[in-house]
Structures are given as structure tokens and as C-alpha cells.
Amino acid sequence: MKYSLPEEFHVFGFARDLLEWYDSQKRDLPWRINRDPYRVWVSEIMLQQTRVETVKPYYMNFMEKFPTVRALAEAPEEDVLKAWEGLGYYSRVRNLQAAAREVQARYGGVVPDKPEEIRTLKGIGPYTAGAILSIAYEKPEPAVDGNVMRVFSRLLYLTDDIAKPAARIKIEQLVRQVIPEGRAGDFNQALMELGAMVCTPRSPHCLTCPVFDYCLARREGVQEELPNKGKAKPPRPVDLQVAVLLRDRQVLIHKRPEQGLLAGMWVFPMAEGDAWGEADQKELLAQGLLAQFGVEAEVLHSLGEVQHTFSHLQWNMRVWLCDWIDGQELPPSARFVSIEQLDEYTFPVAHHKIRPLLPRT
């Protein structure tokens, strides 16, 4: 289906006023130093589901370590994960490195500038493709993220449920009709900037909005009611018992499988299952240590509780101090390390939260 802009919407005036505002008000961000497609690509992957202020130092460090497609493609995965540590959603950086290897092999390290080529790369969806193509190559491609969907829902008084794919397709078509010739990258960034700084999710700053006069939702006084977004399914709670198992002033850690949640990350041993009382929880953890690692341990006392929420799961972790009693040879994925050595291993955010509870050795 072909979607068209409302007749009363002034395309030229809107693009002009938005770009004038962007030129004078845009934030000084490290990935805006130049339009190198690799730099743009890395920044867009980092910014997915992560705040700008959080990303800045990670981006600077990552680009220092892996300044080119080739550097990232040839780097050991463990080094790449370590540079990403703390950003979460580790599948993003795994896909980024896999795609960098493909770009190095197929395109000589040059990020492709054709939509049909760039969209085949792992981890690059319609938004990321549009951002790279427009910002780095000035291709008139839309880059529709949550900010842009919110802006256009209000701007054009769209009541579509933006959680549905059809709404994104519709907004992509509408944005494509507004992109000015020669400034596609700046226009897309201006829309994102407007959504982040002015047309915010709650209490949009309409009086300071540079495109106030074009907004159909504001004209009707319903800007705070949009966008229409279906309620997401709440994350499923999971109760976990976590072992801080000490032996000779060292703590047991293990590497998760290479597939699945937190793949390849280092964690403290965990046991999941029905255990309501403290005695049951201790028994569950002791049996888990024996089954997983061949370790007999005494579960001493609780060090505290930690919670971490993923998009689909909420981990409720009770952390226990455990004392090693006896054990067989550990599996290859597990080892005892000193608490000081933990910094050498890549831990997910969920288990970084556990580290302040560790006893001082």
C-alpha cells in the first residue's frame, strides 16, 4: 500500500526549519566528527537500546582499539567482548564483528553503499541500513527508530500502533517523501535529535519545538496521547541462586555456552528451580554445584539479593557465600581465579552487580 503525506503538510518548510534548528543546536557527539561509514555503523549499533551519555566513553574506547573494519574483523572475540563489557545486549557486538569480517572478505573492508548489499550484513536492519546509507553516503534512505516514529506520529497525527511492523513501514514511506535532496544524513539525524531533545516521550517541549507550526497533533491538542503503542509483554521473573564459591582465596567462575542468552560470557555459578525456603534454596544450589561442576560445597549464608531485567526476563538473584569441600577436576568452561583477576574476564551487567557483594580476601 502506498501512503501519502496530507495535502496541508508543507514539506519544504518543514525540512528547512528542522535543518536550521539542527545546524544551530545539534549536540557535539564523537561519532559526528566525520562521516566515515564504519564510525557511523559502530555508533548506531551501540546506540540501540542504550543512552547517548552511556555510549560516549564506550565508543571512544572501542574506536581506539578497533579503528577500522579490518581491525575489528581480525580482533579476538574475547577482546571485542571486553571492550563492549557493560553495554549489554552482547549479540549486537557479536553480529557487528561477524558483519565486519564479511565486509572485509567481500568488499575489501569498505562498507557497501547499496541498500541491497548492506542489508544482507548480520545485525543490520532497516533502521541501521538507512542511518549508514544516509549519514555516510547521502543516500535518500529513511532511518526510522523509536524517536522518529514518535515524531511522525505526532507531526502527522498518526494513530497507528507503532509496535506493529505495518506502522514502521508506513512511517518509512512518509519520511522518504520529506528527505531533502543533498542533506539526507543531516535530516535523519535532525529527526532523531528532535525526538531525543524536544519531542520527548512524556511532556513534549512544544513551545520550543522548531517545527511547532507543522504539527497536526499539537494543533488538535493530543500530542501527549501519541504515539499509540501496544503494551509490551512484561518480562518473565526467574528466581536464581548464585554461588560465590571460595577455595584457597579464589572464586569459581565459568563461561556460558557459545549459544543462547549471555553466550560466551563469564558468570558465577547459578541454579534455577523451585525453592521457597532458605533451606531449599541452599540445597538447590549445593546440588547444582555438584551436578554442573563436580564440586561438593557448603552453602554458608546469603550475601544479598540482586535483580537484573532483560527485555524478556527478570532475574531475581540471591547470592550465597559457599565454601569448597571437595571436588573432581573442573570442566574446561570453569576455573578458580582470585578476586583481583576478575577484571580480566568479560562479565555481563547482571553479574557485575554481584561483585560488590564479594567478600574481601
Side-chain angles (χ1 to χ4, degrees), residues 30 37 67 107 114 134 185 189 192 225 231 262 297 315 330 350:
Y107 304 106
K114 295 181 175 59
S134 63
Q189 290 182 92
M192 298 175 211
E225 298 173 21
K231 290 187 177 179
L262 304 180
W315 278 5
L330 291 173

Side-chain angles (χ1 to χ4, degrees), residues 3-109:
Y3 297 99
S4 300
L5 293 163
E7 290 185 6
E8 66 268 34
F9 185 74
H10 300 286
V11 173
F12 176 79
F14 170 78
R16 178 199 62 214
D17 291 354
L18 180 64
L19 285 168
E20 284 181 359
W21 169 80
Y22 177 72
D23 288 340
S24 64
Q25 301 294 326
K26 64 183 176 183
R27 289 172 289 179
D28 182 16
L29 300 174
W31 43 89
R32 288 178 176 165
I33 293 172
N34 59 44
R35 293 176 180 258
D36 174 65
Y38 172 65
R39 291 178 64 89
V40 174
W41 180 14
V42 172
S43 71
E44 291 299 338
I45 298 300
M46 283 192 169
L47 287 164
Q48 293 171 12
Q49 300 170 292
T50 310
R51 292 170 56 84
V52 166
E53 291 305 314
T54 301
V55 165
K56 282 182 182 179
Y58 281 97
Y59 179 81
M60 300 291 282
N61 176 61
F62 196 90
M63 294 308 301
E64 184 178 344
K65 286 182 166 61
F66 317 110
T68 62
V69 170
R70 181 171 184 171
L72 179 59
E74 295 179 352
E77 184 184 82
E78 193 68 32
D79 292 352
V80 176
L81 289 174
K82 189 65 179 175
W84 198 270
E85 186 178 33
L87 277 177
Y89 301 98
Y90 288 90
S91 61
R92 293 183 297 171
V93 73
R94 284 196 173 88
N95 290 340
L96 175 62
Q97 187 177 36
R101 288 170 175 163
E102 188 174 353
V103 169
Q104 186 63 35
R106 291 178 58 190
Y107 304 106

Side-chain angles (χ1 to χ4, degrees), residues 149 160-170 228-230:
M149 286 196 285
D160 309 62
D161 181 353
I162 65 169
K164 295 183 177 178
R168 176 183 291 274
I169 293 170
K170 178 178 183 178
N228 178 22
K229 187 176 183 180

Side-chain angles (χ1 to χ4, degrees), residues 209-227:
C209 179
V211 290
F212 177 96
D213 292 333
Y214 306 91
C215 184
L216 302 183
R218 191 274 314 165
R219 195 175 298 173
E220 299 296 324
V222 295
Q223 63 272 19
E224 295 194 26
E225 298 173 21
L226 295 172

Side-chain angles (χ1 to χ4, degrees), residues 259-331:
Q259 301 293 327
L261 183 65
L262 304 180
M265 308 293 289
W266 290 89
V267 294
F268 301 101
M270 298 186 295
E272 176 187 352
D274 294 327
W276 297 101
E278 184 171 299
D280 286 345
Q281 292 169 351
K282 286 184 173 183
E283 180 64 20
L284 176 67
L285 186 54
Q287 290 300 319
L289 289 168
L290 186 62
Q292 282 186 268
F293 307 104
V295 170
E296 185 180 349
E298 181 183 3
V299 182
L300 300 174
H301 60 81
S302 175
L303 295 172
E305 296 183 1
V306 173
Q307 189 177 86
H308 185 77
T309 303
F310 300 92
S311 57
H312 62 302
L313 296 174
Q314 179 178 286
W315 278 5
N316 302 310
M317 298 176 285
R318 191 167 189 185
V319 185
W320 299 88
L321 181 64
C322 304
D323 189 22
W324 182 85
I325 297 174
D326 197 2
Q328 307 165 6
E329 183 178 348
L330 291 173

Side-chain angles (χ1 to χ4, degrees), residues 1-5 119 125-131 140-145 148-149 152-153 156 158 164-179 187-188 191:
M1 183 174 180
K2 175 69 174 176
Y3 297 99
S4 300
L5 293 163
R119 287 174 183 163
Y127 164 75
T128 306
E141 293 289 327
V144 176
D145 66 352
V148 175
M149 286 196 285
F152 260 69
S153 291
L156 301 180
L158 304 176
K164 295 183 177 178
R168 176 183 291 274
I169 293 170
K170 178 178 183 178
I171 292 173
E172 284 176 348
Q173 285 190 21
L174 296 171
V175 171
R176 190 182 292 275
Q177 295 171 50
V178 187
I179 297 174
F187 179 78
N188 281 337
L191 282 179

